[in-house]
Amino acid sequence: MRFLLTDEQREFARTLDGMLGASGTPAVVRAWAAGEHKPGRELWARVAAADVFALAVPERHRGMGPLPVELALSFVELGRHAVPGPLVETVAAAALLERLGEEAGAGVWLPRIAAGDALVSLCAGAPYALDADAADAVLVVQGDTVRRTDAHGPVQPSLDPARRLARPLGGTVLAGGPAVTAAAAHAVDVARLATAAQSLGLGRALLAATVAYAEQRTQFQVPIGSFQAVKHRLADTLIGLEFAQPLVYAAALALAAGAPSAGREVAAAKVAAGEAGYAAARTALQLHGALGYTAEPALSLWIRKARPLRDAWGTPADCRARVLAG
């Protein structure tokens, strides 16, 4: 299968890239990591104004979707610019609510998600919820039940300071039974696709920053980018990202078509993109030398996201097992 983005899709990605590039995301990320949510909320509103969240919400709930391919495009750009917040969790929550319907409050929450008025975290199969302290609601899936809560325990430290984790507490049961199990499985697929796209964008940004640094950093009076070992490391990083990209878009197409293989294709894309993004972070860390190990440069905000994204919504081992399960 040959897959090419349309002109409209490319223009949408360019527009989102330009908007985020002018938004000063490093300062927003640092504020979010410190528990200051106002700059992040303002950026969230701009992302919503670009209709990113509407892509995950059906038209009958004032959205434009679900459109998995465009959603993947969006999350590549969100990853490229390291935008903080429960982005993945909110679109996955939208997928869950859309499948469960009015019993779970879809008519209330989905229009708010589409408009950017609600940050919703989703916790499924994990003890902690992302950014529960900033979310307007947390949906917790346990077994075949789903509950909503706005209470949480203390924020826990994370490898990425901008990924603030807390254990959700209590809450009201919204729905239960086989419908929840099926809806949660679909929501996990959406979360994995969005996370894979984020990893791909993050890896692209790290590679671009590292190439630029290798062109200007000199040793023995020549740029380090002229060294064969450095060229090989950068080429290997690029190859990993290039191989991951078609898997991400193929998974989005499978999800859009409701293909029986969609879950496996999404898991495969998650493995490839997560590993490629993490490899890009390791390359950036090594080739930037001492700069790569310090927290002051903005580069650290990207490097520290790579491994948590690789493991979020299914570790590589989990996703490989899903692929092999058939």
Side-chain angles (χ1 to χ4, degrees), residues 2 21 35 46 54 57 62 69 82 114 139 143 154 167 169 181 218 231 236 253 260 268 320:
R2 188 181 184 199
R46 291 196 290 275
V57 176
R62 304 179 191 175
V69 174
L139 299 181
R167 190 182 295 274
L169 303 174
T181 303
T218 60
K231 289 180 180 180
D236 288 344
L253 283 172
R320 288 189 178 98

Side-chain angles (χ1 to χ4, degrees), residues 118-188:
L119 283 70
V120 182
S121 191
L122 176 64
C123 181
Y128 295 102
L130 178 67
D131 296 319
D133 60 323
D136 297 294
V138 178
L139 299 181
V140 182
V141 177
Q142 286 184 318
D144 62 353
T145 64
V146 59
R147 71 180 195 272
R148 187 181 72 241
T149 181
D150 56 6
H152 60 85
V155 174
Q156 303 296 317
S158 170
L159 182 63
D160 174 9
R163 290 179 64 85
R164 296 167 60 82
L165 303 172
R167 190 182 295 274
L169 303 174
T172 303
V173 174
L174 301 178
V180 170
T181 303
H186 173 64
V188 168

